[in-house]
Amino acid sequence: MSVPLIAVAHGSRDPRAAATVRELLESVRLARPGLPVRPAYLDHAAPTLPQALAGLASAVVLPLLLTEAYHSRVDIPGVLREIRGPRIRYGATLGPHPLLTRALERRLAEAGVPVEDPEAVRRTAVVLVSAGSSDRRANQVVARLARRWACERGWWAVTAAYASASAPKPGEEVARLLRAGAPRVVVAPYLLAPGYFADRVREDALGAGARTVSGVLGAAPELAEIVLERYDQALAAHWLSMPA
């Protein structure tokens, strides 16, 4: 019997977010039949992490988060310290990971951006938008991802923006790139699920002149692959001893 996977998302009052998590986890189940997979949420949705762990002798707890920041470093470990019973292995966040740029390009292509046309890519600036964090290290991870993506694929530019907690905002960065002479600007949300942030990013970016805003990462096949890779990595590690 496989060790169950408990995938912990932030949670949202928007029902589209939980539906997206369910779709992603169903892709994980299909990719690895027989693996018990349960969702859990930090806020706004059920089940909570203690509820998802109830009755289990062991589990891999995996944060469905795209950057390592407060939730993965503090919130989830804090909850796990209070839980008695199951043996737990705690996995890494989904990002950073090389497959994420493939997922981002998948969503851009679905939005009509010709990502396989080298000339079109050279004439396109991309704004990579994350939720943003008060943790400067998390924002720097997104900025590094943007620089690496620009170098690897030859976009006119790839720059980072943040929906909250940091600057620049998506609309500000779209406007700056257009003033700098970018022939066209598109926006790639570095977000797992639809909801308040995704809606605000779309409105702000289109209002500033972005050509298009792609969909959130959601249940892209690359995300399911990353989830299973993180699960396997955690399973190979020691059973968790939470820091004080």
Side-chain angles (χ1 to χ4, degrees), residues 31-244:
R32 188 165 300 181
L35 174 63
V37 181
R38 299 182 184 181
Y41 300 93
L42 289 172
D43 205 357
H44 304 307
T48 64
L49 184 49
Q51 288 169 340
L53 286 166
L56 297 179
S58 61
V60 169
V61 173
L62 185 71
L64 288 184
L65 304 169
L66 295 171
T67 55
E68 185 179 349
Y70 190 86
H71 292 311
S72 62
R73 290 192 179 115
V74 178
D75 283 345
I76 298 174
V79 173
L80 292 177
R81 276 195 292 267
E82 300 299 318
I83 294 173
R84 299 291 178 264
R87 295 192 302 165
I88 294 169
R89 287 183 169 112
Y90 185 41
T93 56
L94 302 182
H97 193 288
L99 285 176
L100 286 170
T101 53
R102 279 175 45 187
L104 289 163
E105 289 182 6
R106 175 187 296 275
R107 295 307 189 216
L108 284 171
E110 291 169 351
V113 179
V115 298
E116 298 303 327
D117 181 343
E119 180 59 28
V121 167
R122 285 192 292 271
R123 293 178 54 80
T124 302
V126 181
V127 181
L128 179 66
V129 184
S130 78
S133 173
S134 57
D135 188 328
R136 184 165 50 90
R137 293 169 296 181
N139 296 333
Q140 288 172 341
V141 167
V142 178
R144 284 196 297 271
L145 172 59
R147 291 193 295 269
R148 186 170 65 249
W149 193 15
C151 292
E152 290 173 351
R153 293 287 274 123
W155 299 100
W156 194 90
V158 182
T159 57
Y162 308 93
S164 69
S166 189
K169 296 296 181 282
E172 295 170 346
E173 190 60 11
V174 168
R176 187 192 70 79
L177 287 166
L178 290 171
R179 290 194 304 269
R184 66 175 69 88
V185 179
V186 300
V187 172
Y190 188 65
L191 301 169
L192 181 64
Y196 174 74
F197 280 148
D199 291 346
R200 194 166 75 177
V201 166
R202 176 173 294 277
E203 180 180 359
D204 189 31
L206 293 176
R211 182 71 59 91
T212 192
V213 179
S214 60
V216 297
L217 293 166
E222 295 82 2
L223 271 290
E225 189 173 340
I226 295 170
V227 168
L228 286 170
E229 182 178 320
R230 298 302 195 215
Y231 171 83
D232 290 337
Q233 289 169 344
L235 204 57
H238 296 295
W239 292 108
L240 183 65
S241 176
M242 294 304 304

